[in-house]
Amino acid sequence: MRATVAALTRRVGEVDPRIVDTLLAVALTGITLVWAVKDQSGTWRRPDTVAILLTCAANLPVAVRRRGPGIAFVLCVVASLWHHGLGYQPNVNNFSVLLTLYTVTVRRSLAAGVAGVAASASVWWWASLAASKDMAALNQAQSILIVLTAWTLGLGTRRLADRNRRLADLTERLGYEQEARARRAVTEERVRIARELHDIVAHHMSVISVQAGLARYVFASDPGTARTALATVADTSHEALEEMRRLLAVLRVDRRPGIDGVYD
């Protein structure tokens, strides 16, 4: 069950946000139009061609709210105010304003978000005032609360996104620093091994040079000493080769292909 939910979540996350916003804009427009046509409770003007066009203008900009949050918000606000100002049903074409206000708060500056709150409050204030004269104060208080709730949600999402960005940057920097430290450690270890190899070779070559010179010097006069010196040369050269093989094995680059077929 968890695997299925995780797979569905991953697939939803892979959907192009532009497609999601377009579907949301179309659905919001359709629901608003159906609501306006079927609601016969008020005394406002019945929906006509102008009302339908303004409803489309007030909701369809949601499709571009991520690519142009400011433009989408202004279009929704202007169309909604225009719609309400002409005396059409005031309790429609308001939710798109909240949605685009949320997006502006998340993606634009704090000042833009505050200006968006003022513009959204004007839309909802007008709608609440036109909807019911008797409960205007209560409706206006609810409208302000709704607008502030949308703004607060946007601020929370903005802070979360900023924190996630900072964490991602910190993780990337830590990764670079760890990689740099690892490279330095490898370099220092190879330098140490190279120095050790140099000392071993220098020592053994010194012994070989001395013993070879001794063997040549006493080769005719003292064959036993010459043989001993040559044996020392053979043993020392063998020991030097073994030490070199051991150290070179540490420095050797593994030529076996890795998981991706790339040599390590």
Side-chain angles (χ1 to χ4, degrees):
M1 180 65 180
R2 291 182 178 178
T4 303
V5 173
L8 289 175
T9 303
R10 186 168 57 253
R11 289 187 178 182
V12 170
E14 293 173 353
V15 177
D16 191 340
R18 293 175 296 183
I19 297 177
V20 176
D21 288 341
T22 301
L23 294 176
L24 179 60
V26 172
L28 188 60
T29 303
I31 292 172
T32 303
L33 288 173
V34 172
W35 181 11
V37 171
K38 290 185 174 296
D39 190 353
Q40 304 289 333
S41 59
T43 59
W44 42 76
R45 292 175 60 181
R46 304 311 308 159
D48 53 17
T49 303
V50 175
I52 293 174
L53 292 176
L54 289 175
T55 297
C56 292
N59 294 279
L60 290 179
V62 171
V64 295
R65 68 186 182 94
R66 298 176 200 261
R67 287 168 286 174
I71 295 175
F73 177 74
V74 170
L75 290 176
C76 291
V77 168
V78 171
S80 297
L81 289 174
W82 195 351
H83 177 274
H84 302 339
L86 292 178
Y88 294 110
Q89 185 174 352
N91 56 356
V92 298
N93 297 331
N94 299 319
F95 291 102
S96 60
V97 174
L98 292 179
L99 185 56
T100 50
L101 169 64
Y102 169 85
T103 308
V104 167
T105 305
V106 172
R107 294 176 173 264
R108 291 293 182 261
S109 65
L110 182 60
V114 172
V117 169
S120 301
S122 67
V123 174
W124 279 78
W125 175 83
W126 194 341
S128 63
L129 184 63
S132 175
K133 302 292 184 180
D134 298 332
M135 302 180 64
L138 178 61
N139 289 339
Q140 289 171 8
Q142 291 177 344
S143 300
I144 298 299
L145 180 62
I146 291 172
V147 171
L148 291 178
T149 299
W151 183 54
T152 302
L153 290 175
L155 287 178
T157 303
R158 181 192 184 93
R159 293 193 188 99
L160 180 60
D162 291 341
R163 184 173 60 183
N164 289 339
R165 259 193 311 273
R166 289 195 297 270
L167 288 175
D169 293 340
L170 179 60
T171 301
E172 186 176 2
R173 286 199 301 270
L174 288 176
Y176 287 148
E177 291 176 1
Q178 290 176 353
E179 185 178 353
R181 285 196 296 267
R183 286 197 299 266
R184 285 196 299 269
V186 170
T187 301
E188 291 172 358
E189 181 65 14
R190 289 187 174 183
V191 169
R192 185 192 65 80
I193 293 173
R195 289 174 179 171
E196 184 178 348
L197 179 61
H198 173 270
D199 294 341
I200 291 172
V201 171
H203 170 72
H204 287 82
M205 290 304 296
S206 297
V207 173
I208 290 172
S209 178
V210 171
Q211 294 298 322
L214 176 62
R216 184 176 62 180
Y217 181 74
V218 300
F219 187 78
S221 61
D222 191 352
T225 301
R227 284 194 295 272
T228 301
L230 291 175
T232 302
V233 169
D235 293 340
T236 303
S237 61
H238 178 73
E239 183 180 349
L241 288 174
E242 290 297 325
E243 290 291 335
M244 290 176 65
R245 289 193 185 99
R246 180 181 65 82
L247 294 175
L248 291 175
V250 177
L251 293 174
R252 181 178 62 87
V253 178
D254 191 357
R255 298 299 297 171
R256 292 173 299 176
I259 297 176
D260 298 328
V262 179
Y263 289 98
D264 297 332

